[in-house]
Amino acid sequence: MPRLDIKDDTELRDVARLFFGDDIPPAYILRDNNMFTVEAFDMVFRFDYSDIAQLLPTERRAARLSKIALYDALSAHTGEKSPWGALTGVRPTKLFYEALKGGNSEAEATRLMQDVYRVSGERATILRKIVDAQHGKVLFPRDYINLYIHIPFCPTRCNYCSFVSVPLDKRKENSEQYVSLLCKEIDRTLVFLREKNMRILSVYIGGGTPTALDENKLCEVLDAIGDCDCEYTCEAGRPDSITDGKAQVMREHNVTRVCINPQTLNDETLRRIGRHHNSAQFFDAYNTVSKYGFDINCDLIAGLDGESEEDFAKSFDGVKALSPHNLTVHSLAKKNGSEIRYEKGENERTAAMTDYAFAHSDGYVPYYLYRQKRQSCNLENVGFSLPGKECINNITTMEETVGVMACGAGAISKFVGDGIISRFANIRDVKLYAERFDEKLDAKLEFFSQMCTSDKKA
């Protein structure tokens, strides 16, 4: 039997990291059909998965069972369990949909998540609620696509951030050139989509902080996008970047949804994480935006360094009292590229914070969920929505049922075809994005052209 070293397998390393952080001990897996042996800590763990193997699709069955075996062994050794069991992927809802497609009822799919993948009862139930909320909002004709525009500038850089963004005051001269090139990319992209008879399902302007641009530059970007008769979202994540003038510009360009993200209402935490605004400015910004009739999204982060469960509860209750149309709770992810690092056992209180959000989300429904590596307590990011106010872009992008045409530095385009998802990433660095602009834009459009041709032939 082949003896697999878990350090040679990315997914198995991710399972081990749930229990040991980055200090992963030696461990090996041997497989004989549905019999799995895990060697670790001078101990041997043996599992017979004949009963659950038949519940899994043939494709990747062995890899999934290997992850479950390692999880079961490490859980038995440490006495610990993870809310998402042996799952380490970004989109656990995909497995729920897979179970439904395989002929299972929602109740059976919920049980399968628990019995096979070791997901907790609470998280399995959340998946079921999300699938219910997504009913009729996931699948669209193949000629639809989401348009994503990336603005890689912020007022300041938060210490947990790993996104493609830089403080605007350090790149003022680059920002003017960037907007000019971005508008050119948008224009050519829209021409391409018209030529391919592709319809825009939603527009999403993200970052960074799009409203870090001044009114004139923001207007240039919105002018380039033009008239849109669809869901149209613009992030205004930093309350200190929002002005009445910018809100008016967005309204005049038919933006339908605006994101205002306090992250926390604790002023001391805001200072510590590098956000140069306070909670009072968030409420001012919310009032400014709300008078223009936008749907409003708000984000909070559970597990910020130094925050107590009481701090999070105060933030959650304070934002929820405003009745935003969407309220997303992110579990802190300590990722490469940020100024903070993951340590096993840190921020265990984050689980209590997310539990508080679920317990006090009356009036809202969870409608999308995704996960990131190195999240506190192996948790998740969950979007709650007032009924009927779900963001179609969030659903179709996270579930990968509609492709994405993305413009801007670091933006990732995605082609979704029959059984295949292919990606094209723009250059992340703003300076290099400008230097290689024509070359990479031509390559992106050629990529999509070839994918569309191949898909039609298939």
Side-chain angles (χ1 to χ4, degrees):
M1 290 186 293
R3 187 167 178 260
L4 175 63
D5 186 337
I6 69 167
K7 292 185 178 180
D8 294 332
D9 187 289
T10 300
E11 291 189 276
L12 293 176
R13 288 200 307 272
D14 288 341
V15 172
R17 190 176 285 115
L18 301 179
F19 297 89
F20 303 104
D22 289 329
D23 189 19
I24 299 174
Y28 305 89
I29 294 179
L30 294 88
R31 175 181 176 241
D32 181 10
N33 198 12
N34 293 323
M35 301 293 295
F36 286 78
T37 300
V38 180
E39 301 174 352
F41 317 106
D42 297 323
M43 301 173 67
V44 176
F45 303 85
R46 291 188 173 89
F47 305 102
D48 181 354
Y49 291 141
S50 299
D51 56 338
I52 65 173
Q54 60 185 335
L55 302 176
L56 296 174
T58 303
E59 183 181 0
R60 300 198 74 245
R61 177 182 292 169
R64 292 184 184 182
L65 289 175
S66 294
K67 291 178 66 176
I68 293 168
L70 181 60
Y71 176 84
D72 285 347
L74 298 184
S75 181
H77 177 72
T78 64
E80 298 179 9
K81 294 184 181 297
S82 164
W84 289 101
L87 300 185
T88 58
V90 174
R91 299 172 175 87
T93 43
K94 280 195 169 185
L95 293 178
F96 199 99
Y97 277 116
E98 177 184 270
L100 295 177
K101 189 176 180 180
N104 293 282
S105 66
E106 285 195 358
E108 290 168 336
T110 303
R111 177 56 59 183
L112 184 147
M113 298 302 296
Q114 296 174 252
D115 293 347
V116 174
Y117 294 109
R118 312 324 195 204
V119 174
S120 73
E122 293 81 0
R123 262 53 188 188
T125 300
I126 290 167
L127 290 182
R128 182 175 180 174
K129 290 180 178 179
I130 287 171
V131 168
D132 285 342
Q134 291 181 352
H135 183 71
K137 304 179 180 72
V138 179
L139 299 176
F140 291 87
R142 294 283 289 282
D143 58 348
Y144 274 104
I145 197 161
N146 292 319
L147 177 64
Y148 175 75
I149 312 298
H150 189 73
I151 307 295
F153 304 108
C154 279
T156 60
R157 186 173 178 83
C158 302
N159 68 357
Y160 56 78
C161 182
S162 62
F163 293 151
V164 183
S165 65
V166 293
L168 185 60
D169 60 359
K170 294 183 179 180
R171 295 288 180 90
K172 189 68 176 177
E173 67 286 351
N174 296 102
S175 68
E176 296 182 2
Q177 179 191 30
Y178 180 83
V179 167
S180 176
L181 290 174
L182 176 63
C183 290
K184 180 179 177 181
E185 183 176 7
I186 293 170
D187 181 64
R188 285 192 57 190
T189 295
L190 292 176
V191 169
F192 175 87
L193 293 177
R194 286 193 292 269
E195 291 173 347
K196 296 296 182 181
N197 295 315
M198 300 188 77
R199 295 182 287 175
I200 296 176
L201 177 65
S202 71
V203 177
Y204 196 103
I205 308 176
T209 307
T211 47
L213 299 175
D214 62 36
E215 289 178 26
N216 291 333
K217 292 301 177 186
L218 179 62
C219 191
E220 284 184 41
V221 174
L222 299 179
D223 280 343
I225 297 170
D227 294 333
C228 294
D229 183 19
C230 64
E231 178 185 277
Y232 190 169
T233 303
C234 184
E235 289 189 356
R238 297 291 286 269
D240 48 332
S241 72
I242 299 172
T243 64
D244 189 84
K246 293 177 187 178
Q248 186 172 346
V249 164
M250 290 188 285
R251 180 75 279 173
E252 290 172 351
H253 287 81
N254 297 321
V255 170
T256 61
R257 186 179 294 253
V258 175
C259 307
I260 312 171
N261 305 327
Q263 313 299 22
T264 176
L265 296 183
N266 186 323
D267 288 344
E268 174 56 29
T269 303
L270 289 169
R271 183 198 62 77
R272 188 166 54 245
I273 64 178
R275 291 174 76 89
H276 290 181
H277 66 84
N278 55 38
S279 57
Q281 287 175 290
F282 160 70
F283 288 109
D284 289 342
Y286 192 98
N287 290 333
T288 296
V289 169
S290 62
K291 70 182 182 181
Y292 286 93
F294 299 107
D295 287 345
I296 299 178
N297 295 8
C298 292
D299 286 4
L300 292 170
I301 297 178
L304 288 169
D305 293 340
E307 287 234 306
S308 66
E309 296 167 29
E310 292 73 20
D311 289 329
F312 177 81
K314 177 183 176 182
S315 295
F316 185 86
D317 292 344
V319 173
K320 183 172 177 283
L322 299 173
S323 297
H325 302 87
N326 279 192
L327 175 53
T328 302
V329 176
H330 298 265
S331 299
L332 183 67
K334 300 194 171 187
K335 302 176 70 174
N336 294 332
S338 70
E339 297 178 14
I340 52 180
R341 292 290 179 268
Y342 175 86
E343 292 180 12
K344 175 67 182 75
E346 190 176 84
N347 286 333
E348 294 293 328
R349 66 191 180 284
T350 309
M353 296 178 181
T354 57
D355 287 345
Y356 183 91
F358 285 118
H360 294 80
S361 60
D362 50 296
Y364 287 79
V365 293
Y367 80 98
Y368 81 102
L369 179 151
Y370 68 101
R371 303 176 63 235
Q372 296 169 281
K373 292 182 179 180
R374 301 173 182 270
Q375 281 192 286
S376 295
C377 301
N378 191 35
L379 293 169
E380 67 284 311
N381 305 320
V382 178
F384 298 91
S385 173
L386 295 177
K389 289 296 183 178
E390 297 84 3
C391 178
I392 296 298
N393 181 279
N394 285 340
I395 293 174
T396 55
T397 298
M398 290 304 166
E399 300 304 333
E400 297 187 311
T401 59
V402 174
V404 179
M405 181 66 90
C407 301
I412 299 176
S413 296
K414 186 185 302 180
F415 182 87
V416 177
D418 283 329
I420 185 172
I421 295 176
S422 300
R423 295 170 175 81
F424 184 94
N426 282 1
I427 293 175
R428 290 171 61 94
D429 182 83
V430 173
K431 186 169 183 275
L432 287 177
Y433 169 81
E435 291 176 357
R436 299 180 60 187
F437 177 79
D438 291 315
E439 167 200 349
K440 295 298 287 186
L441 176 54
D442 288 342
K444 181 185 77 171
L445 299 181
E446 177 62 21
F447 160 80
F448 258 91
S449 183
Q450 291 182 1
M451 294 305 299
C452 289
T453 301
S454 300
D455 190 54
K456 288 180 180 178
K457 289 180 180 179

